[in-house]
């Protein structure tokens, strides 16, 4: 049962990575890195929505297949190496507010933290 407080689980996943190209799609234990965060986000009892914000069609496809919402492709201006994460958060909240949907809080689920589990997320 989801709680009354609406919490957006936001996974920011850029397609560009200078250190490890296509990092968020690399396999970890036979599963794309991004999918680990999606699966744990979906298992959370406190997250109302699990959204992947990405500038990559390939990451978007894998994310949708994994059960996350990906209702838009993030603008390139918000996906540069030096783009602040808060701008991605604001972009996502603006998107939902235009639909008349509002959240009480945002929980960032970085895709580069694949070993977090849903209980840890709910505890936070």
């Amino acid at each position: 049962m989801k709680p009354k407080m609406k919490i957006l689980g936001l996974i920011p996943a850029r397609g560009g990575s200078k250190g490890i190209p296509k990092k968020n799609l690399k396999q970890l234990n036979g599963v794309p890195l991004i999918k680990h965060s999606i699966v744990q986000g979906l298992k959370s009892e406190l997250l109302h929505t699990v959204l992947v914000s990405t500038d990559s069609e390939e990451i978007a496809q894998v994310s949708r297949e994994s059960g996350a919402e990906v209702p838009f492709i993030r603008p390139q201006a918000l996906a540069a190496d030096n783009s602040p994460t808060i701008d991605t958060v604001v972009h996502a909240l603006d998107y939902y507010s235009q639909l008349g949907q509002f959240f009480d809080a945002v929980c960032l689920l970085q895709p580069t933290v694949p070993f977090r589990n849903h209980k840890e997320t709910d505890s936070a």
Side-chain angles (χ1 to χ4, degrees), residues 1-7 45-46 48 102-105:
M1 182 173 154
K2 298 288 182 182
K4 291 181 182 180
M5 185 174 182
K6 283 183 68 175
I7 302 172
E45 293 186 21
L46 299 179
H48 181 271
F102 302 94
F103 294 90
D104 299 302

Side-chain angles (χ1 to χ4, degrees), residues 64-79:
R64 287 183 189 109
E65 290 169 359
S66 300
E69 288 190 18
V70 189
F72 56 79
I73 296 297
R74 187 180 347 155
Q76 290 298 316
L78 299 178

Side-chain angles (χ1 to χ4, degrees), residues 8-43:
L8 173 64
L10 175 60
I11 303 172
R14 291 187 320 115
S17 174
K18 291 181 179 178
I20 303 172
K22 294 190 175 187
K23 165 180 60 187
N24 291 309
L25 296 173
K26 294 290 185 197
Q27 298 284 312
L28 177 63
N29 199 26
V31 176
L33 184 63
I34 186 86
K35 187 171 180 175
H36 291 275
S37 290
I38 293 168
V39 168
Q40 292 306 313
L42 292 172
K43 286 183 178 181

Side-chain angles (χ1 to χ4, degrees), residues 8-16 24 34 38 49-61 63-64 68-80 83-96 106-111:
L8 173 64
L10 175 60
I11 303 172
R14 291 187 320 115
N24 291 309
I34 186 86
I38 293 168
T49 301
V50 175
L51 166 77
V52 172
S53 175
T54 185
D55 60 323
S56 163
E57 289 288 351
E58 193 173 6
I59 291 173
Q61 179 180 344
S63 298
R64 287 183 189 109
E69 288 190 18
V70 189
F72 56 79
I73 296 297
R74 187 180 347 155
Q76 290 298 316
L78 299 178
S83 297
T85 302
I86 190 65
D87 291 348
T88 297
V89 173
V90 170
H91 179 259
L93 292 173
D94 285 347
Y95 169 82
Y96 282 110
V106 176
C107 177
L108 279 178
L109 301 172
Q110 298 289 357

